[in-house]
Amino acid sequence: MNKKFINAMEILKLVEHSNRNDKLLHKNKGENGLTYFGIYQSAHPNLRIWKTINKYLEIEPDIKKCSLLLSNVSDLKDEVYKFYKKNFWDKMQLDRVNSSHICNEMFIFGVNVGYVTCIKEVQKLIGVTADGIIGNITLGKLNQMDEVWFDKEFDKVEMAYYERLIEQKPHLAINLKGWFNRAIRV
């Protein structure tokens, strides 16, 4: 895995669990199942990570203590990194984007809202057809972007997206402050 992706994962650690290993594994209010490193068990129940996590929970049922134990399991970390690389980074073709900062912006937002939604929001911002597919036209525009401009404008795009989401699903309003902080942090 390349340096840009590893750097993006470090940022993901910060926004997902504040780089606190006792928060790697947790249970979110209003969700079924557990969350590990930002991966919802209910959304991805067949990932191999859950078998490992359940084995460790049998040894240490306290979620925070188990989370600390899991933070030292290198095979688990490898599986998590492979999951994010395959399902987000690669699908957004971020290896083909020159700016590490633009990659980070897209990756972190894409992990939170889905890669297709992220791509469409980026495409609207940069003025290309919003089809949710990273092709040569989108890549060409992204690779010509001023990253300072992109950073500022994409934060606005992210926050507007979250506000629209809460209009449609008011029960998610509890997440707005965290989502805004996430947008601004990257």
Side-chain angles (χ1 to χ4, degrees), residues 1-122:
M1 291 183 203
N2 68 44
K3 189 176 180 177
K4 275 196 316 189
F5 174 72
I6 299 298
N7 181 55
M9 288 300 293
E10 291 299 316
I11 295 167
L12 186 63
K13 283 186 207 177
L14 184 63
V15 299
E16 285 293 342
H17 59 274
S18 305
N19 267 343
R20 289 191 45 197
N21 289 337
D22 65 329
K23 291 184 172 185
L24 266 172
L25 180 67
H26 59 276
K27 182 156 179 53
N28 287 330
K29 293 177 187 173
E31 291 175 9
N32 296 323
L34 297 168
T35 299
Y36 183 77
F37 209 120
I39 302 170
Y40 301 132
Q41 185 177 22
S42 60
H44 305 282
N46 299 320
L47 288 179
R48 290 190 308 187
I49 67 170
W50 301 116
K51 186 175 181 180
T52 302
I53 291 166
N54 288 332
K55 191 183 324 178
Y56 274 81
L57 280 168
E58 287 176 15
I59 297 165
E60 178 52 74
D62 180 278
I63 288 182
K64 286 187 178 224
K65 289 178 183 176
C66 186
S67 184
L68 289 169
L69 290 173
L70 292 168
S71 70
N72 295 312
V73 179
S74 61
D75 290 347
L76 186 59
K77 179 182 174 183
D78 291 346
E79 286 299 314
V80 166
Y81 276 50
K82 286 176 189 173
F83 168 81
Y84 280 115
K85 178 108 170 47
K86 177 183 175 189
N87 293 289
F88 297 94
W89 188 269
D90 290 348
K91 289 189 178 184
M92 291 190 281
Q93 297 195 47
L94 295 176
D95 282 336
R96 295 180 63 197
V97 175
N98 295 337
S99 166
S100 292
H101 188 75
I102 290 174
C103 288
N104 294 338
E105 287 274 2
M106 290 177 64
F107 179 67
I108 300 303
F109 186 61
V111 164
N112 208 35
V113 302
Y115 73 91
V116 173
T117 298
C118 174
I119 292 168
K120 285 180 179 180
E121 292 297 321
V122 166

Side-chain angles (χ1 to χ4, degrees), residues 159-176:
M159 291 186 275
Y161 174 84
Y162 292 132
E163 287 174 335
R164 288 191 312 272
L165 182 61
I166 287 171
E167 285 175 13
Q168 297 166 0
K169 299 178 181 182
H171 68 279
L172 295 176
I174 191 170
N175 299 312
L176 186 62

